[in-house]
């Protein structure tokens, strides 16, 4: 393959109509890269060119997204009779990981693209990661193309006949379309609900106006508003719910959006490709063949007419896809690798090559490797690169069309969309790319590049030095020669000649003034932004504003105000290398330098600050759940480690770095494999020092239940959970009651944390505006400016209250408790957004109500107490302290100082007995701390009055189990007639999974305290799918143990599922107290308490008191005694 000059790719960037920005996969991408002469076609699928990391090559999986720009040209006709004209395309391809631990790489890359190649394994089918990727394409409004890869496994592993393979592929296609249909149905239900709410609001508004006019007797019945209301609600174009056609959303081979491929064997095809092959042979139009080559259509051999299933009349005909497509591919495999000895049939191979007009080199035909012959024949007949690249250029849109269809919806979903400048919105949607148009670019992540890999630091092989470089080298050589001569003059002529011989003329920049060669400097890491330009033209030296994910155009100058940054470098991403650019037009994926100190993970670049758009709100596919405390082996390397961890946090979309209150430096990752990669990068690239990792820190949650068997209340005179807390000074008494929240309410609050955070932000902004403040404190600003990500439901205040009231109304058994609590909610916790409630039921309303409309209208202390007592202290003066104590209590629970979820704290009474003469600032300050401590301790005491539970962080584990061995030989169905019309093959048989494989799978899950949720057999295959729940605390080493125990017959995928107490329904403080329990277990409770084991482990790690039992040791005795 000829090597494509990078200048050719740079030139194609200006022609936006011929640019495609797509996703890909590594083995398939190799075949596309080979078309540009970067790698040999023989190595395609084996070298994994875009897996540039050594650990990626070792494990055989992709861990980081990589981008490469490819050149593709083809002959196109503008009309049927027009001569073909060569058209050139630039394809920006991004290869993203498939492992669930690195799904954040897929999320960050999706916004850069206009289309996506979604690869599905032909055998394993739709798995959890497939659903995740399809959901990401749906959320980002990308146009997807389905690639059913590894079709060869249906032939070589599952031994399917062509008819069975067609049935299997049809069911696989239905499964993928069912996932797309679920997304569409969910969106339509939400739109229908919103439409009904809008109609109800308009009807209510019209009815209110009608009532007002009726009272004033100014309504005219002929032109009344009632008619308009009825028209809006029942008839008319504006009142009807507009249905959307979902036909274009689904995958179907006749639409040219499905590719069947085998990347390892180097072939792929589409229905359109075979339609062009059979167009002349069958005498049919290509457009007709494209519609009937897939589906229940049959070809009558004699008349060559296409028949539907209704017209078969009992004849045993094959579907056209089987007869014209699959039978031919199966015949190639039979002729090359089939037969009793696995070496194929030379006579059949010769017949096939002649019928296809293929020329196979003689040295390939003489090869002893049947696979070499197989790949050569299929690559010549159905080249993978041609099928994929032609489909991409024909089906997927270019940047102008893609931005016109998807950017308007992305802008509407961005923070502060109403305040976005119209000029910026038009420039992005209409794809304006002139230098005078606004510049808007999205930086998806920061990529760490070694300094030696930057284009400015690399000298191409065979390129001579510039004149300045040559003069500088000559000056250094003359200076070195003069120094050596002066040193040798005093020692004689022999020393002089020896000194001249020692002078080496080489290009060495690492010699100091004394000629001593310095040690090789460390190869520093530079952070390059991985970006996409949506409008305008960006050049080196331009200045743009860097907008963080928390930026909102509603308040563009809010502290910290976005800074203006100068672009120091632009690069063309070429996989393992970079090519230097001077400017970048709109619609191009590129690298940008100069942002390393201004962007943490992602951000938006804009040429103006007023009315700028924030595109950085992308939902991550996986959340960091596994935390590990790190420390350097040498304490003197602590600075290096901290610098390296900050670089890692910037370059990894999912890694997070934090310093705990104990001083521990902790890194959070998405999973065990992700953690391993991060530690390797820290040691070898970013920190460059030896680092020790502690035991993984797994998060827990604490909650309470109303269990059937609980210990009696601590105070028999008070209801369960009720605590009367008295401050140390005896001047403040607080009565509160802790109750468990209904499970549905807890789930609702967890799901809508973003809405709660936004409501709190609006409330703080109103309060600050009322007080005339221009700024907020740092802590409140961090929470208030949270950028909503895709997928979050952001209700208005009225919508949130109504939905919360509906959830509470479902608890009919406890309606007297939860009936009217929504209006009395004073705070959410912890961190003001958690799934816990502080409910103020005091007689006079101590705390401000959180969900009330507008600012607080509650009376002040002087209005409540109009007597002379207003000179003293009142409960309302400590409302913020009570709320702060609630936040502390829910942030660190009483079990092991983990966050609390699912509790409601009812504040019943607050009594202050401080005398008037003690009312001073000193007393006020002292009582502040006492109130906070009293509230916190009282909530913890009330918490322990119920049956406490430890909620475990859970993984949803999907396991694909298969048979571990296969028959040694396999005979393909014999093909006796001509190549294009073989007879029906004999049915094949897939042996079931051995029982010992499933037994070992269940054994590993049970030993790690997991639970099987579902199990199913993939019809027509030997694959068994198992869904299980597994605690994160027990997941370390799970994948390796599963692979070892099953000899590679089962492979798990772990996805974070949330926190659950159902898997460990056990009180950590449980002790036997009934007669039966004491009789069975004894007073020491010999049964292991797993919840207590987890709780004690966390308490020991945090340095808390752990109550243990002393084991009596027996005195050692000698045998003689």
């Amino acid at each position: 393959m000829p090597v494509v000059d990078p200048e050719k790719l740079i030139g194609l960037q200006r022609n936006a109509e011929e640019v495609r920005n797509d996703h890909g996969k590594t083995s398939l991408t190799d075949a596309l890269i080979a078309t540009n002469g970067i790698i040999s076609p023989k190595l395609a699928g084996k070298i994994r060119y875009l897996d540039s990391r050594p650990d990626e090559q070792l494990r055989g999986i992709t861990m980081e997204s990589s981008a490469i720009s490819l050149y593709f040209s083809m002959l196109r006709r503008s009309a049927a009779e027009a001569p073909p004209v060569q058209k050139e395309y630039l394809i920006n391809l991004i290869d993203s990981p498939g492992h669930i631990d690195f799904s954040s790489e897929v999320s960050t890359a999706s916004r850069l693209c206009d289309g996506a190649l979604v690869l599905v394994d032909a055998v394993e089918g739709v798995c959890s990661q497939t659903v995740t990727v399809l959901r990401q394409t749906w959320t980002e409004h990308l146009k997807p193309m389905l690639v059913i890869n590894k079709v060869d496994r249906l032939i070589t592993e599952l031994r399917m006949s062509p008819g069975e393979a067609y049935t299997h592929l049809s069911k696989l296609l239905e499964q993928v379309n069912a996932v797309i249909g679920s997304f569409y149905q969910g969106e339509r239900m939400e739109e229908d609900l919103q439409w009904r709410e809008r109609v109800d609001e308009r009807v209510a508004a019209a009815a209110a106006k009608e009532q007002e006019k009726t009272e004033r007797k100014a309504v005219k019945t002929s032109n009344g508003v009632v008619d308009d209301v009825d028209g809006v609600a029942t008839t008319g174009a504006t009142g009807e719910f507009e249905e959307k056609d979902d036909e274009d959303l689904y995958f179907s081979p006749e639409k040219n959006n499905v590719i069947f491929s085998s990347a390892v064997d180097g072939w792929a095809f589409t229905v359109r490709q075979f339609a062009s092959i059979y167009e002349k042979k069958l005498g049919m139009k290509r457009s007709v063949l494209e519609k009937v080559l897939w589906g229940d259509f049959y070809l009558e051999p004699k008349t060559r007419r296409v028949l539907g299933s209704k017209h078969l009349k009992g004849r045993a005909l094959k579907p056209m896809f089987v007869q014209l497509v699959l039978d031919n591919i199966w015949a190639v495999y039979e002729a090359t690798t089939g037969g009793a000895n696995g070496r194929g049939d030379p006579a059949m191979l010769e017949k096939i090559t002649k019928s296809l007009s293929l020329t196979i080199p003689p040295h390939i035909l003489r090869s002893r490797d049947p696979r070499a012959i197989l790949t050569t024949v299929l690559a010549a007949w159905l080249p993978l690169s041609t099928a994929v690249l032609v489909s991409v250029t024909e089906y997927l849109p270019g940047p102008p069309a893609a931005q016109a269809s998807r950017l308007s919806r992305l802008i509407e979903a961005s923070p502060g969309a109403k305040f976005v400048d119209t000029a910026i919105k038009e420039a992005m949607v209409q794809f304006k790319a002139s230098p005078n148009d606004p510049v808007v670019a999205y930086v998806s992540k920061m990529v760490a590049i070694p300094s030696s890999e930057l284009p400015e630091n690399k000298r191409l092989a065979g390129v001579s030095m510039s004149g300045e470089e040559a003069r500088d080298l000559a000056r250094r050589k003359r200076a070195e020669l003069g120094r050596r001569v002066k040193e040798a003059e005093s020692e004689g002529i022999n020393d002089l000649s020896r000194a001249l011989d020692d002078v080496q003329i080489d290009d060495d920049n690492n010699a100091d003034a004394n000629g001593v060669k310095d040690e090789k400097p460390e190869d520093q890491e530079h952070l390059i932004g991985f970006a996409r330009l949506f409008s305008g033209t960006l050049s080196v030296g331009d200045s743009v504003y860097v907008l963080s994910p928390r930026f909102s155009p509603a308040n563009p100058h809010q502290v910290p105000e976005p800074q203006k940054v100068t672009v120091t470098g632009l690069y063309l991403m070429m996989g393992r290398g970079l090519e230097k650019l001077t400017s970048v037009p709109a619609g191009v994926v590129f690298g940008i330098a100069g942002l390393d100190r201004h962007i943490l993970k992602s951000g938006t670049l804009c040429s103006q600050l007023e009315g700028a758009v924030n595109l950085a709100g992308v939902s991550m596919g996986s959340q960091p759940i596994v935390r590990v405390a790190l420390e350097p082996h040498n304490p003197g390397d602590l600075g290096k480690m901290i610098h390296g961890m900050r670089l890692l946090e910037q370059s990894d979309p999912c890694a997070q770095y934090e310093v705990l209150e104990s001083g521990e430096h902790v890194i959070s990752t998405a999973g065990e494999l992700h953690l391993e990669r991060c530690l390797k990068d820290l040691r070898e690239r970013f920190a460059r020092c030896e680092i020790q990792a502690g035991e993984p820190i797994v998060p827990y949650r604490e909650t309470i239940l109303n269990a059937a068997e609980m210990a009696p209340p601590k105070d028999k005179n008070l209801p369960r959970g009720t605590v009367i807390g008295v401050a140390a000074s005896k001047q403040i008494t607080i009565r509160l009651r802790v109750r468990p929240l209904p499970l549905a309410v807890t789930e609702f609050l967890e799901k809508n944390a973003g809405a709660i955070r936004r409501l709190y932000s609006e409330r703080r902004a109103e309060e600050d505006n009322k007080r005339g403040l221009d700024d907020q404190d740092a802590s409140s600003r961090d929470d208030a400016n949270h950028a909503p990500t895709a997928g979050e439901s952001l209700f208005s205040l009225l919508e949130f209250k109504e939905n919360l009231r509906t959830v509470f109304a479902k608890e009919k058994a406890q309606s007297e408790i939860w009936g009217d609590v929504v209006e009395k909610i004073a705070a959410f916790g912890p961190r003001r957004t958690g799934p816990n409630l502080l409910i103020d039921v005091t007689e006079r309303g101590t705390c401000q109500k959180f969900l009330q409309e507008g600012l607080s209208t509650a009376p002040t202390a002087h209005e409540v107490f109009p007597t002379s007592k207003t000179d003293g202290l009142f409960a309302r003066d400590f409302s913020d302290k009570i709320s702060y104590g609630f936040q502390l209590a829910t942030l660190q629970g009483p079990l092991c100082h983990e966050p609390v979820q699912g509790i409601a704290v009812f504040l019943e009474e607050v009594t202050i007995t401080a005398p008037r003469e003690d009312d001073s600032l000193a007393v006020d300050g002292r009582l502040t701390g006492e109130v906070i401590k009293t509230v916190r301790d009282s909530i913890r005491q009330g918490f322990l009055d119920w049956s406490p539970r430890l909620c475990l962080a859970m993984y949803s584990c999907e396991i694909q189990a298969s048979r571990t061995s296969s028959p040694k030989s396999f005979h393909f169905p014999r093909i006796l007639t001509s190549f294009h019309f073989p007879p029906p093959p004999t049915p094949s048989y897939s042996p079931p999974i051995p029982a010992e494989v499933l037994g070992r799978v269940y054994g590993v899950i049970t030993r790690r305290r997991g639970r099987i949720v579902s199990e199913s057999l993939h019809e027509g295959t030997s694959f068994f799918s198992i869904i299980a729940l597994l605690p994160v605390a027990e997941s370390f080493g799970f994948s390796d143990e599963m692979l070892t125990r099953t000899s590679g017959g089962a492979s798990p995928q772990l996805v974070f599922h949330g926190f659950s107490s159902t898997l460990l329904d056990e009180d950590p403080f449980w002790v036997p107290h009934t007669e039966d329990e004491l009789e069975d277990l004894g007073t020491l409770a010999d049964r292991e308490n797993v919840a207590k084991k987890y709780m004690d482990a966390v308490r020991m790690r945090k340095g808390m008191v752990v109550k243990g039992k002393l084991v009596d040791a027996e005195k050692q005795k000698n045998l003689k005694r």
Side-chain angles (χ1 to χ4, degrees):
M1 292 291 179
V3 179
V4 178
D5 188 4
E7 294 297 331
K8 183 79 172 178
L9 302 176
I10 296 173
L12 288 174
Q13 291 181 346
R14 302 293 174 182
N15 192 356
E17 294 290 345
E18 275 69 51
V19 176
R20 299 293 185 272
N21 302 310
D22 311 302
H23 273 291
K25 293 302 292 180
T26 310
S27 297
L28 182 140
T29 304
D30 275 0
L32 308 183
I33 295 174
T35 61
N36 280 228
I38 299 175
I39 62 174
S40 170
K42 296 180 181 179
L43 299 177
K46 303 173 185 177
I47 192 173
R48 300 176 63 87
Y49 179 78
L50 291 184
D51 285 350
S52 56
R53 297 171 55 95
D55 49 356
E56 289 179 328
Q57 293 288 342
L58 182 63
R59 291 181 175 270
I61 62 173
T62 303
M63 298 183 182
E64 290 183 348
S65 297
S66 302
I68 191 168
S69 297
L70 301 176
Y71 167 79
F72 178 65
S73 65
M74 62 184 297
L75 296 176
R76 301 290 298 270
R77 297 177 185 270
S78 58
E81 300 178 354
V85 179
Q86 184 179 11
K87 296 200 70 174
E88 297 177 328
Y89 295 91
L90 171 66
I91 298 178
N92 296 316
L93 191 66
I94 302 176
D95 177 36
S96 54
H99 195 280
I100 195 68
D101 277 10
F102 309 107
S103 57
S104 59
E105 295 278 350
V106 182
S107 304
T108 55
S110 60
R111 186 152 291 190
L112 304 179
C113 300
D114 300 320
L117 293 176
V118 181
L119 269 71
V120 177
D121 193 309
V123 176
E124 298 181 6
V126 177
C127 59
S128 58
Q129 183 66 357
T130 308
V131 179
T132 302
V133 172
L134 289 174
R135 182 181 290 109
Q136 195 67 40
T137 61
W138 180 270
T139 304
E140 292 294 325
H141 309 290
L142 300 178
K143 195 169 186 179
M145 176 176 285
L146 181 64
V147 180
I148 302 179
N149 195 25
K150 302 183 182 180
V151 180
D152 60 290
R153 296 182 63 188
L154 303 180
I155 308 173
T156 59
E157 292 184 20
L158 301 185
R159 322 303 191 197
M160 287 185 176
S161 65
E164 293 171 339
Y166 169 69
T167 304
H168 178 78
L169 293 173
S170 300
K171 292 181 178 179
L172 175 60
L173 199 59
E174 291 175 359
Q175 293 175 3
V176 178
N177 285 332
V179 176
I180 298 294
S182 65
F183 299 154
Y184 173 78
Q185 184 179 9
E187 186 177 88
R188 296 302 292 158
M189 291 177 63
E190 184 177 356
E191 291 178 356
D192 178 69
L193 179 61
Q194 294 175 355
W195 174 81
R196 293 180 184 276
E197 291 177 352
R198 289 195 300 267
V199 170
D200 291 343
E201 290 176 0
R202 295 172 66 182
V203 170
K209 291 182 180 179
E210 175 68 16
Q211 182 67 23
E212 183 181 356
K213 291 184 178 181
T214 302
E215 293 176 354
R216 297 177 181 178
K217 298 180 180 181
V219 64
K220 295 180 180 180
T221 56
S222 58
N223 298 323
V225 185
V226 178
D227 297 337
D228 295 337
V229 173
D230 294 338
V232 171
T234 57
T235 61
T238 59
E240 295 293 339
F241 180 68
E242 297 180 2
E243 293 289 346
K244 293 183 180 179
D245 187 11
D246 61 341
E247 183 179 357
D248 296 334
L249 301 177
Y250 302 112
F251 298 107
S252 183
E254 62 266 22
K255 296 179 182 177
N256 197 35
N257 60 0
V258 178
I259 301 174
F260 304 90
S261 72
S262 171
V264 69
D265 290 340
W267 60 268
F269 68 88
T270 61
V271 166
R272 178 173 294 184
Q273 191 173 349
F274 270 94
S276 62
I277 295 176
Y278 289 108
E279 181 182 8
K280 295 182 179 179
K281 293 182 179 180
L282 299 179
M284 297 183 185
K285 293 183 179 180
R286 183 185 300 184
S287 58
V288 176
L289 274 175
E290 291 176 3
K291 297 179 180 179
V292 299
L293 267 180
W294 177 267
D296 294 333
F297 298 99
Y298 305 86
L299 183 67
E300 192 175 19
K302 295 181 180 180
T303 61
R304 293 192 175 184
R305 290 188 307 133
V306 178
L307 304 177
S309 57
K310 298 180 180 179
H311 304 284
L312 288 180
K313 298 179 181 180
R315 288 178 291 181
L317 297 181
K318 298 180 182 178
M320 292 182 64
F321 188 78
V322 176
Q323 187 177 8
L324 301 181
V325 180
L326 295 185
D327 276 347
N328 298 335
I329 296 176
W330 260 245
V332 174
Y333 275 87
E334 161 71 8
T336 54
T337 60
N341 57 1
R343 295 186 177 275
D345 187 349
M348 182 184 294
L349 178 62
E350 183 180 359
K351 183 178 180 180
I352 291 174
T353 54
K354 286 184 179 179
S355 64
L356 296 176
S357 302
L358 300 178
T359 302
I360 307 300
H363 71 278
I364 297 294
L365 294 174
R366 293 193 300 267
S367 174
R368 296 183 178 181
D369 183 11
R371 289 194 56 81
I373 303 175
L374 171 69
T375 55
T376 303
V377 173
L378 289 174
W381 178 34
L382 302 172
L384 184 147
S385 58
T386 301
V388 173
L389 294 178
V390 170
S391 299
V392 165
T393 55
E394 290 181 349
Y395 181 76
L396 297 183
Q403 292 189 194
S405 62
R406 64 187 286 252
L407 277 192
S408 57
R409 288 177 286 184
L410 292 180
I411 295 174
E412 291 175 0
S414 64
K418 297 180 180 179
F419 300 92
V420 176
D421 191 356
T422 306
I424 291 180
K425 189 180 301 184
E426 292 179 354
M428 296 174 65
V429 175
Q430 299 177 9
F431 195 76
K432 296 181 179 181
S434 68
N436 299 326
D437 291 315
V439 173
V440 178
Y442 168 63
V443 182
S444 68
K445 68 172 186 175
M446 302 297 289
V447 183
I449 304 294
S451 179
S452 59
E453 297 295 327
L454 295 177
E456 51 265 28
N457 298 333
K458 293 175 64 177
R459 180 180 298 166
L460 298 178
V463 178
S464 60
M465 291 185 295
S466 64
E468 184 62 30
E469 291 175 336
R471 286 190 292 270
D472 181 67
L473 179 61
R475 283 193 296 267
R476 287 191 290 108
K477 296 309 173 186
R478 286 196 297 270
E480 182 182 359
L481 179 60
R483 181 181 56 80
R484 291 291 181 92
V485 169
K486 291 181 179 179
E487 289 179 355
E489 280 180 352
S490 59
E491 300 182 7
I493 188 64
N494 293 332
D495 294 330
L496 178 59
S497 61
R498 189 165 52 251
L500 294 177
D501 292 337
D502 290 341
V503 176
Q504 298 179 358
I505 304 176
D506 58 356
D507 184 12
D508 186 7
N509 293 320
N510 297 326
D512 59 8
N514 298 322
V516 179
K517 188 174 180 179
D518 296 337
E519 294 182 359
K520 185 177 180 180
E522 291 186 355
D523 197 2
Q524 299 293 332
E525 297 284 341
H526 291 262
L527 293 175
I528 303 297
F530 189 24
R532 158 77 182 266
L533 190 63
F534 288 99
S535 65
T537 300
L538 189 63
S539 303
V540 177
D542 289 350
S543 296
V544 291
Y545 287 98
V546 179
L547 313 179
S548 69
R550 293 172 175 171
F551 171 82
S552 175
N555 191 2
H557 297 284
Q558 188 173 15
V559 178
E561 187 172 349
Q563 298 180 356
K564 210 166 189 179
V565 178
T566 301
V567 178
T568 59
L570 297 172
Y571 305 99
L572 178 68
M573 312 292 281
M574 292 298 294
R576 302 184 181 185
L578 300 172
E579 296 292 337
K580 206 167 184 179
L581 301 174
T582 57
S583 63
V584 171
V588 174
V589 177
F590 62 99
I592 178 171
L595 308 177
D596 50 344
R597 297 184 179 180
H598 303 278
I599 289 183
L600 178 59
K601 290 183 179 294
S602 63
T604 308
L605 306 181
C606 193
S607 55
Q608 67 184 57
L609 185 58
E610 301 289 341
V613 62
N614 181 7
L615 299 175
V618 181
S619 60
M620 295 298 169
S622 58
Q623 299 297 327
I625 189 65
V626 178
R627 301 190 300 168
V628 172
L630 305 180
E631 62 178 1
H633 184 74
N634 181 6
D637 294 333
L638 180 61
K640 287 185 178 181
M641 189 192 75
I642 295 176
H643 176 69
M645 293 179 76
R646 288 172 178 167
L647 282 177
L648 175 66
E649 185 182 22
Q650 279 190 279
S651 61
D652 194 305
C654 196
Q656 292 182 1
Y657 164 59
E658 60 179 327
V659 181
L660 302 183
E661 295 179 357
S662 59
E664 293 177 294
H665 297 272
V666 173
I667 183 172
S668 303
T669 60
E672 189 176 6
L673 183 60
H674 187 210
L675 172 63
E676 183 179 338
R677 192 201 73 179
C678 290
L679 292 177
K680 181 179 177 64
D681 286 346
L682 268 178
R683 294 186 179 112
E684 299 179 0
R685 296 178 57 190
F686 301 127
R688 298 180 185 271
C689 64
E690 191 60 32
I691 294 176
Q692 297 176 350
E695 292 294 325
I697 303 173
V698 179
Y700 295 89
R701 295 292 184 268
E702 302 179 19
T703 189
I704 53 176
L705 297 178
N706 187 5
E709 297 180 359
M710 291 188 295
K714 301 293 190 299
D715 191 342
K716 297 181 180 180
N717 299 323
L718 296 174
R720 184 181 295 275
T722 302
V723 179
I724 299 177
V726 181
S729 62
K730 311 297 183 181
Q731 295 179 344
I732 295 181
T733 303
I734 298 176
R735 177 187 172 111
L736 54 84
R737 186 176 184 183
V738 180
R739 284 181 178 272
L741 269 178
L743 181 60
V745 177
T746 303
E747 294 176 350
F748 175 82
L749 296 178
E750 288 179 339
K751 182 180 178 182
N752 297 282
I756 301 173
R757 185 181 290 110
R758 188 173 61 86
L759 293 176
Y760 178 80
S761 169
E762 294 175 354
R763 178 58 50 85
R764 289 300 300 265
E766 290 179 3
E767 293 177 355
D768 291 339
N769 292 335
K770 183 179 180 181
R771 293 195 302 262
L773 299 179
D774 296 330
D775 196 6
Q776 303 176 11
D777 57 86
S779 60
S780 64
R781 186 170 57 242
D782 289 344
D783 287 336
N785 294 333
H786 168 74
T789 58
E792 282 188 354
S793 299
L794 298 184
F795 300 113
S796 65
L797 178 60
L798 295 177
E799 292 172 342
F800 181 81
K801 288 173 61 177
E802 187 62 30
N803 290 328
L804 183 58
R805 193 177 290 112
T806 302
V807 178
F808 271 117
K810 296 179 181 179
E811 301 296 324
K812 298 180 180 179
Q814 298 178 332
S815 58
E816 70 281 357
I817 300 174
W818 310 109
D820 57 347
V821 298
V822 175
E823 300 294 341
K824 300 177 182 179
I825 294 176
F828 298 85
R831 297 187 177 93
R832 300 181 290 271
T833 60
N836 304 286
L837 300 179
L838 175 62
I839 302 170
D840 183 10
V841 294
T842 55
E843 182 179 356
R844 298 184 181 276
T846 301
C847 299
Q848 177 183 343
K849 305 304 183 291
F850 183 83
L851 296 180
Q852 66 182 2
E853 299 181 23
L855 294 178
S856 176
T857 57
T860 63
H862 290 270
E863 295 170 342
V864 174
F865 303 99
T867 63
S868 60
K869 289 185 178 181
T870 53
D871 296 333
L873 294 175
F874 298 94
R876 179 170 292 276
D877 299 330
F878 296 96
S879 61
D880 55 338
K881 284 77 177 178
I882 295 174
S883 177
Y884 187 69
F886 167 75
Q887 300 295 336
L888 290 180
T890 53
L891 182 62
Q892 294 183 337
L895 299 183
C896 51
H897 282 192
E898 290 291 309
V900 177
Q901 70 176 28
I903 71 168
V905 179
F906 290 82
L907 182 64
E908 297 180 349
E909 184 180 359
V910 180
T911 305
I912 300 178
T913 60
R916 291 182 56 190
E917 57 270 13
D918 292 343
D919 182 21
S920 61
L921 294 177
V923 173
D924 191 10
R926 174 175 54 80
L927 292 181
T928 294
E930 291 185 2
V931 169
I932 294 174
K933 184 177 183 300
T934 303
V935 172
R936 183 196 64 186
D937 295 344
S938 299
I939 293 176
R940 290 178 177 176
Q941 186 178 345
F943 183 98
L944 296 176
D945 211 9
W946 298 86
S947 182
R949 291 292 187 272
L950 205 60
C951 297
L952 304 182
M954 303 298 296
Y955 276 135
S956 175
C957 177
E958 181 177 352
I959 303 172
Q960 296 278 356
S962 65
R963 48 188 166 85
T964 56
S965 60
S966 58
K968 294 183 179 179
S969 61
F970 168 69
H971 298 276
F972 285 83
R974 294 187 59 81
I975 300 178
L976 301 177
T977 57
S978 63
F979 173 66
H980 294 293
F981 303 99
T986 57
S988 62
Y989 172 71
S990 298
I993 306 174
E996 59 268 19
V997 175
L998 293 180
R1000 291 168 184 170
V1001 170
Y1002 296 155
V1004 174
I1005 295 175
T1006 305
R1007 189 162 46 251
R1008 292 176 175 267
R1009 299 188 175 91
R1011 186 184 68 188
I1012 305 296
V1013 177
S1014 65
E1015 51 188 23
S1016 61
L1017 177 66
H1018 292 190
E1019 186 177 353
T1021 72
S1022 62
F1023 277 82
F1024 207 79
S1025 180
I1026 303 168
I1027 306 296
L1029 290 178
L1030 185 72
V1032 175
E1034 303 289 344
S1035 66
F1036 302 102
F1038 174 74
S1039 299
D1040 293 339
E1041 183 182 1
M1042 181 68 70
L1043 293 173
T1044 303
R1045 294 280 184 179
T1046 61
S1047 300
S1051 57
Q1053 268 196 333
L1054 301 177
V1055 184
F1056 182 63
H1057 183 70
F1059 294 90
S1060 174
S1061 62
T1062 58
L1063 196 63
L1064 187 62
D1065 190 8
E1066 191 172 7
D1067 189 340
F1069 299 112
W1070 179 87
V1071 291
H1073 60 276
T1074 65
E1075 293 183 3
D1076 295 338
E1077 292 172 348
L1078 289 172
E1079 182 179 353
D1080 294 340
L1081 303 174
T1083 57
L1084 299 179
D1086 297 332
R1087 187 185 67 181
E1088 181 186 19
N1089 191 327
V1090 181
K1092 187 176 187 304
K1093 174 186 173 183
Y1094 288 143
M1095 182 185 72
D1096 289 346
V1098 178
R1099 292 179 71 92
M1100 289 182 63
R1101 177 176 58 82
K1102 294 184 176 181
M1104 302 171 64
V1105 177
V1106 177
K1107 295 182 180 180
K1109 291 183 291 187
L1110 295 176
V1111 180
D1112 296 334
E1114 297 182 359
K1115 184 178 180 181
Q1116 184 177 0
K1117 296 181 180 180
N1118 296 330
L1119 293 178
K1120 294 181 180 180
R1121 298 181 182 178

